[in-house]
Every structure is written in C-alpha cells, then in structure tokens.
Amino acid sequence: MSRIVVALGGNALQSNPKDVSAESQLASCRLTAKAIVSLVKEGHEVIVAHGNGPQVGQIVSTYETASKTAGGYVMPLPECGSMSQGYIGYHLQQSIGDALRKEGINRSVATVITQVVVDRDDPAFQNPSKPIGSFFTKEEAYKLVAMENGYVMKEDAGRGYRRVVPSPMPKRIVEENIVRTLAEAGHIVISCGGGGVPVIEDEDGLKGVAAVIDKDLASEKLAEIMDADVLLILTAVEKVAINYNRPGQKDLDTLTAEEAEGYMREGHFAPGSMLPKVQAAVMFARSGPGRKAIITSLEKAEDAIQGKTGTVVTN
Ligand code: ADP
Ligand code: MG
C-alpha cells in the first residue's frame, strides 16, 4: 500500500477544451473517477489535486463581462479560485463517490477548500505573467485597470488585452491537518484545487492575493507534507520526451533528478506545461528517501503505479 498524491491535469476535467459546459466536465470526471478508484481498489491511499485554468477563467470572464454594465463589480481572484474548487470538487466527489459504490468500496469523498500560503516577497509579484480571463480591447483594458485596484493588463500576441497575475511558489498548506486526518481515516480527499487559493500571512491572519499557484508545484508541496510515497502527475501524454515533437523525439521511461536538470537546461520541456511537472517531480524525488514521481496519462494511471509505463522520476 502506498500513499499517492494524484495531480489531475486539464484533460481529466474536460476532454474537449472548447466545451466548458458543466455537463461535459461531469462526463470527464466520471472517466477520471474510474482511474482514481482503480488505485483505491488496489489498496492505495489517494489524495487528489487538480488544475482549474479553464474553470477559473470562465468564472473570471463572467464577472468581467458583467462589470461592463452599470454597477458592475469584478469578483476578486481568490474568491473566483475558491468557487472553482467547489465547482470541480462537487463533480469529483459525485463521480468518485459513485464509482466507489459501484465497486462496493465503503469510503467517503470530501473536497477541502484549500488555502496555500505564499511569500509576500516572492519575486513573482514583481512580474505578473500568467494570463487569465477574457480578451479586451485597449479601451476596455484601461477601464478595468482604472476601476479595479491591482489589475495588470498585457497585450497578448495581437489577440487583445488580457489580465496577467503573478505565479508565486507555494510555501505552506493551511488545511494540511484536516487533509491528513481524512486521508488517514481512509477517505478520498480533494485538496489544492487550481494550486490552492493563494494567501499571504501577517499578524492579523490570512489574506487572499490575486495570483495563481502552479498546480503541479502545489501538488508537490502537498505530497511532501502528506509524506506521500508517490506523486502521480496525470496529463495528456504517456511519457515525458526529449526533443518533443521534433526529429529525434525520445520518450523516457526513467529520469533521475540530475538528468532532468540537464534536460531542463537544454530546454526540452515547455514552460507552463511540461516544465513545471518535471520541476515538481524533481523536487519531490529529492524531498525524502524512497520518494518517486511518475508522469503519465490519465488512461495509464493504473499501469504506471504497477510499474508498467510512465516516466518515473527518482533522485
Ligand atoms: P496539464 O493540463 O495536464 O497540466 P499541460 O497541457 O499544461 O497539461 O502540459 C502537458 C503537455 O505538455 C503535454 O500534453 C504535451 O503536449 C506538452 N509537452 C511539452 N513538452 C513536452 C515534453 N518534453 N514531453 C512530453 N510532453 C510535452
Ligand atoms: Mg493544460
């Protein structure tokens, strides 16, 4: 039996990126639930983390559109992030719960709305770079910046203006004790959705900040804190490759932390997609003896845990 933190990518929640309907998300979650329950069935303890890019984008866009009318108000990003955790958590709870019952497994599923502490001095705050929400004209963009304290809008490759936010490093998971307690009692916990709601900490307590934490890095932090054996990053490819989509592409079965660093320096992993996964895998593999990370596809989750496929990252 292992304790596994599963990091779900965008394709686990939406099979068609153009279809952001709740119905299609729920259908994807039902397939994802099968993969998760296959691990539970084998006796593993599973903690689930997931992305939220399209979902939080949809929520933010809805408020941005509403703000164009008189009296409009743009909901702050931490609140939008927490809404996306609830929305996605609801679908995962329902589908994983149903799949468990179908297998005759008597366990419960809970979503923990998760706050993740970031450092107020994180250099990322000086350089907001992660685009979020709708595209705007220059005039609309200026209006939003004037109206909304702290909005930064950037021109996005000729497609219009878009809001950008910082992506700081995760430091601490506020709800770690409740996640651990639930997992140790045998329940399936969903935590750190969308990388967690980023908060900064001061004498008065916690305060949400307009930022986005990378979900692979947050999942890594969660796996470390939960003393997991495996960080299982599920995405759209079965294995990590070098020379990806280029002549000489080679899919990797194993990767040591040192090899990974060399490949990162050579630019084999796309920033914002494969790079944070490899970074997270290396950090986790180095965080304690016997810990390993596996990067594979949702469909191959079970095979990968049995050692049959995926890219296994060790120290
Ligand atoms: P997720 O939503 O699961 O976080 P992303 O789309 O952000 O996934 O990143 C995974 C994608 O990264 C893969 O589907 C693949 O297209 C791309 N990718 C970039 N570089 C590589 C690489 N070196 N090896 C494999 N996949 C890569
Ligand atoms: Mg993605």
Side-chain angles (χ1 to χ4, degrees):
M1 195 215 80
S2 305
R3 181 177 286 182
I4 306 172
V5 168
V6 180
L8 299 174
N11 69 325
L13 303 174
Q14 281 168 348
S15 54
N16 173 5
K18 293 219 162 70
D19 184 355
V20 295
S21 69
E23 291 77 8
S24 111
Q25 179 171 294
L26 188 54
S28 291
C29 284
R30 297 218 174 268
L31 298 175
T32 299
K34 281 191 189 153
I36 289 168
V37 171
S38 74
L39 304 177
V40 178
K41 223 171 123 183
E42 286 182 42
H44 301 298
E45 210 175 76
V46 178
I47 300 170
V48 180
H50 60 83
N52 73 343
Q55 293 82 2
V56 77
Q58 190 179 27
I59 295 167
V60 168
S61 294
T62 303
Y63 281 107
E64 284 176 345
T65 304
S67 78
K68 291 177 188 173
T69 64
Y73 165 75
V74 178
M75 186 63 70
L77 190 55
E79 278 70 10
C80 292
S82 67
M83 286 183 204
S84 78
Q85 289 187 350
Y87 166 43
I88 296 166
Y90 157 58
H91 279 174
L92 286 173
Q93 279 179 214
Q94 194 172 76
S95 18
I96 297 170
D98 284 349
L100 287 169
R101 266 188 300 283
K102 226 169 257 166
E103 293 291 341
I105 303 171
N106 184 23
R107 306 252 177 106
S108 302
V109 193
T111 301
V112 175
I113 301 294
T114 312
Q115 307 172 85
V116 175
V117 176
V118 300
D119 189 344
R120 60 163 77 225
D121 298 321
D122 192 304
F125 286 109
Q126 305 310 317
N127 177 34
S129 58
K130 190 148 177 67
I132 185 161
S134 316
F135 288 97
F136 292 93
T137 65
K138 195 172 182 172
E139 292 68 39
E140 289 168 336
Y142 275 98
K143 223 170 131 184
L144 270 168
V145 170
M147 192 170 101
E148 293 298 326
N149 196 13
Y151 248 64
V152 181
M153 307 286 285
K154 268 192 191 155
E155 223 272 329
D156 189 325
R159 293 185 295 176
Y161 283 76
R162 224 173 157 200
R163 183 181 186 190
V164 286
V165 295
S167 189
M169 290 295 286
K171 289 287 173 201
R172 184 169 81 77
I173 295 170
V174 177
E175 288 76 15
E176 69 167 288
N177 287 336
I178 189 70
V179 174
R180 189 180 295 108
T181 301
L182 290 169
E184 282 174 356
H187 303 302
I188 288 81
V189 194
I190 300 154
S191 175
C192 286
V197 179
V199 294
I200 52 172
E201 202 168 24
D202 63 23
E203 316 74 58
D204 298 328
L206 302 174
K207 187 166 173 283
V209 284
V212 170
I213 302 171
D214 181 87
K215 77 104 182 18
D216 294 309
L217 298 178
S219 304
E220 190 281 330
K221 180 62 74 186
L222 181 65
E224 258 190 52
I225 293 176
M226 290 302 135
D227 196 18
D229 304 289
V230 183
L231 170 62
L232 180 62
I233 300 179
L234 300 180
T235 185
V237 289
E238 188 172 339
K239 290 178 187 179
V240 179
I242 50 171
N243 298 315
Y244 181 69
N245 272 344
R246 284 201 304 255
Q249 171 169 341
K250 185 172 168 247
D251 292 348
L252 305 172
D253 297 322
T254 59
L255 192 56
T256 64
E258 208 180 331
E259 286 167 348
E261 280 186 329
Y263 292 141
M264 284 193 262
R265 271 195 302 275
E266 290 168 22
H268 285 281
F269 313 124
S273 63
M274 190 47 79
L275 183 60
K277 297 184 203 317
V278 175
Q279 283 171 332
V282 167
M283 283 167 78
F284 184 66
R286 282 191 169 149
S287 68
R291 290 182 176 176
K292 67 177 176 191
I294 307 175
I295 302 174
T296 193
S297 65
L298 180 65
E299 295 73 24
K300 300 287 179 184
E302 195 181 357
D303 285 351
I305 285 296
Q306 293 172 356
K308 294 180 193 158
T309 189
T311 301
V312 182
V313 184
T314 53
N315 190 16

